[in-house]
Amino acid sequence: MSKSLQAIRGMNDILPEQTPLWRYFEDRVARLLDGYGYRQIRMPIVEFTELFKRSIGEVTDIVEKEMYTFADRNGDSLTLRPEGTAACVRAVLEHGLAGGGQTQKLWYIGPMFRHERPQKGRYRQFHQIGVEVFNIDGPDIDAELIILTWRLWELLGIRDAVSLELNSLGTSAARAVYREALVEYLTARAEQLDEDSRRRLTSNPLRVLDSKSPETQALLADAPKLADYLDDESQVHFDGLKARLDAAGVPYVINPKLVRGLDYYSKTVFEWVTDRLGAQGTVCAGGRYDGLVEQMGGKPTPGVGFAMGIERLVLLIETLDKVPAEIARQVDVYLCALGEPAELAALALAERLRDRLPALRLQVNAGSGSFKSQLKKADKSGALYALVMGEDELARQVVGCKPLRGQGEQQSIAWTALADHLATCALQA
Ligand code: HAM
């Protein structure tokens, strides 16, 4: 196939074998969020470029190198969203959802786009489920967000494979004081810094803390520590969060170097990481962004949230062999019919079964074929039972009910008794 007719590198088709696990995952998360009182919001995939520059920060990897930006036909600069928080804040502001101090607990799901170097767990189109809360400034809500993800890991059977890293970035005033001390320390040692860090030293010095260069990391060992510059308000907030996580039994590790790659954070930041996926081990990440709404033209409005990467979590569920057996089966019953009179009767019977058993996943053979080939398709579909209707069954108003997974002998069942029969054997399996 010519390259221009293939999918774009880093942008994947999610194939029919994979979608049951995706749907299971998405459904689990949606139900969990419903249970905690979060409501879904859906934002556009494309926004004005300015939105992301203003919120994520001009001097971040995302804005500097990773955005899919283009001019539309009016000449406006538009960008495929690289994340969800910016658009969510925009929507909240635009529709006055947080006006008058009202609380909003929102979630969203969808594709995000970043022009990163693709590798396992890192794609150019990837999918997030994100949660954002507005107008609650205490650590109780930071704790709730973390506790609900902790519950999710349990529901998915992956709790043992993830751990929580936590840090506080302090208020922006405290961070400014720290930034000055850090810049002073690093400037005196600038010639020992890697190139990226030297550039960041003037543009975004806190990002030097998560430099990948071992030399820079060695240099940072004696650098001023953010924790020593935390203002009282942030310290009290952080202590409150830790006390709540302790009370709920959620284990965590304080990582003083955790700064996150987006500029809007203040106070709490956190990441759920796993060592089971190789280099791309962060499966869920977020934090507080109390200044963002104001920075985007709104009234001061505290905000906090996180986003999880669906590809990475699906991969983790597969890696740990935690795909539930029941989602592998897509069909309960496969109905075979031979000859047109039997086909017509089978079709009508199938519709009556659907009326009686809406939860039944019933596939009717299409494309005719011999009984043998139809039974082969029935088997391949993964169904538990094949129903068989030929001339003889039609005349007697019965179907043959053939177990396909070794649950006993074929039985002849009257059409009138079929729904009750399937309700017990196929639906409760
Ligand atoms: P983020 O850390 O950029 O934060 O992304 C959140 C998660 O999305 C990551 O932890 C990872 O699981 C997934 N992810 C990010 N980039 C990729 C990629 N290229 N391929 C696959 N998965 C990826 C945010 O996006 C913030 N908006 C989170 C947030 C919400 N903070 C507050 N509210």
Side-chain angles (χ1 to χ4, degrees):
M1 196 187 233
S2 87
K3 189 159 178 280
S4 59
L5 295 182
Q6 291 176 8
I8 295 163
R9 195 162 111 83
M11 304 204 180
N12 301 312
D13 298 307
I14 297 151
L15 297 174
E17 298 88 270
Q18 300 165 299
T19 50
L21 180 54
W22 279 67
R23 287 180 59 184
Y24 155 79
F25 175 81
E26 291 164 1
D27 183 51
R28 262 287 144 105
V29 181
R31 277 190 290 142
L32 179 82
L33 292 170
D34 284 347
Y36 278 84
Y38 290 78
R39 297 186 303 157
Q40 192 184 18
I41 180 166
R42 301 185 185 202
M43 298 86 67
I45 287 172
V46 187
E47 300 271 355
F48 287 118
T49 305
E50 192 55 27
L51 173 69
F52 302 114
K53 287 192 180 169
R54 285 265 294 273
S55 53
I56 297 169
E58 298 259 8
V59 195
T60 54
D61 283 352
I62 296 181
V63 170
E64 280 186 336
K65 332 185 227 194
E66 296 172 359
M67 295 207 300
Y68 282 91
T69 295
F70 57 95
D72 82 352
R73 288 177 192 276
N74 311 327
D76 291 327
S77 179
L78 306 184
T79 294
L80 296 182
R81 62 180 182 193
E83 57 103 57
T85 310
C88 189
V89 168
R90 188 223 14 93
V92 162
L93 267 176
E94 197 165 330
H95 303 284
L97 300 185
Q102 63 181 307
T103 297
Q104 286 292 345
K105 296 168 73 175
L106 304 172
W107 70 276
Y108 50 83
I109 179 170
M112 308 290 160
F113 303 84
R114 296 183 194 174
H115 194 275
E116 297 191 82
R117 203 164 40 78
Q119 63 180 87
K120 179 181 166 191
R122 185 164 74 192
Y123 310 102
R124 289 180 174 171
Q125 174 175 332
F126 60 97
H127 298 78
Q128 285 184 342
I129 295 182
V131 174
E132 315 290 352
V133 179
F134 297 92
N135 276 324
I136 305 180
D137 59 8
D140 48 355
I141 193 69
D142 307 30
E144 175 174 290
L145 293 178
I146 291 173
I147 290 166
L148 77 83
T149 47
W150 173 242
R151 174 173 296 277
L152 178 65
W153 314 145
E154 170 67 13
L155 290 170
L156 298 171
I158 59 174
R159 189 182 266 184
D160 292 344
V162 291
S163 60
L164 175 63
E165 298 195 355
L166 207 57
N167 194 18
S168 176
L169 300 180
T171 58
S172 58
R175 233 172 20 256
V177 179
Y178 171 68
R179 188 181 297 125
E180 236 170 74
L182 183 68
V183 169
E184 193 184 316
Y185 174 89
L186 292 175
T187 307
R189 296 157 182 83
E191 71 290 349
Q192 297 167 55
L193 288 173
D194 61 281
E195 198 187 314
D196 249 2
S197 297
R198 216 171 306 140
R199 198 171 47 83
R200 282 175 171 158
L201 186 53
T202 43
S203 55
N204 195 351
L206 254 61
R207 290 301 310 282
V208 176
L209 295 183
D210 64 8
S211 157
K212 301 271 181 299
S213 147
E215 292 78 23
T216 300
Q217 279 305 329
L219 208 62
L220 286 169
D222 298 322
K225 299 281 175 286
L226 182 55
D228 298 332
Y229 287 76
L230 270 198
D231 50 291
D232 287 349
E233 183 193 331
S234 303
Q235 191 63 59
V236 168
H237 188 98
F238 200 36
D239 290 344
L241 170 59
K242 287 187 282 186
R244 282 166 179 80
L245 295 180
D246 292 338
V250 182
Y252 54 86
V253 176
I254 306 290
N255 176 357
K257 294 202 175 123
L258 183 65
V259 289
R260 310 270 304 122
L262 306 97
D263 277 357
Y264 48 61
Y265 293 109
S266 58
K267 295 186 180 161
T268 312
V269 287
F270 65 91
E271 292 192 352
W272 285 101
V273 295
T274 178
D275 56 10
R276 306 297 298 270
L277 295 180
Q280 303 306 317
T282 306
V283 292
C284 173
R288 192 162 264 288
Y289 47 84
D290 289 344
L292 181 57
V293 175
E294 200 179 357
Q295 189 186 315
M296 283 170 55
K299 297 221 168 67
T301 306
V304 59
F306 66 78
M308 54 184 113
I310 303 184
E311 281 82 357
R312 291 185 191 175
L313 283 160
V314 161
L315 205 57
L316 186 58
I317 295 169
E318 284 172 337
T319 306
L320 298 174
D321 219 1
K322 297 291 182 188
V323 181
E326 66 270 16
I327 69 164
R329 182 157 53 83
Q330 296 286 290
V331 179
D332 300 315
V333 172
Y334 192 102
L335 177 53
C336 313
L338 197 64
E340 192 162 334
E343 277 178 16
L344 297 181
L347 197 60
L349 180 64
E351 290 309 308
R352 286 203 299 278
L353 284 175
R354 294 186 206 283
D355 289 339
R356 285 281 309 279
L357 304 173
L360 184 73
R361 291 169 306 176
L362 170 64
Q363 188 165 327
V364 179
N365 184 73
S368 299
S370 67
F371 262 145
K372 196 169 162 215
S373 76
Q374 291 191 37
L375 282 173
K376 223 176 185 171
K377 286 198 270 178
D379 189 46
K380 203 167 158 222
S381 76
L384 289 175
Y385 293 90
L387 300 178
V388 184
M389 179 142 42
E391 242 175 68
D392 176 46
E393 286 83 3
L394 178 60
R396 292 167 43 221
Q397 304 217 335
V398 298
V399 290
C401 180
K402 183 177 164 59
L404 295 173
R405 318 276 151 215
Q407 328 84 307
E409 294 298 304
Q410 177 162 336
Q411 283 176 275
S412 196
I413 314 274
W415 293 353
T416 48
L418 189 57
D420 289 337
H421 180 75
L422 294 177
T424 50
C425 71
L427 278 183
Q428 282 165 22

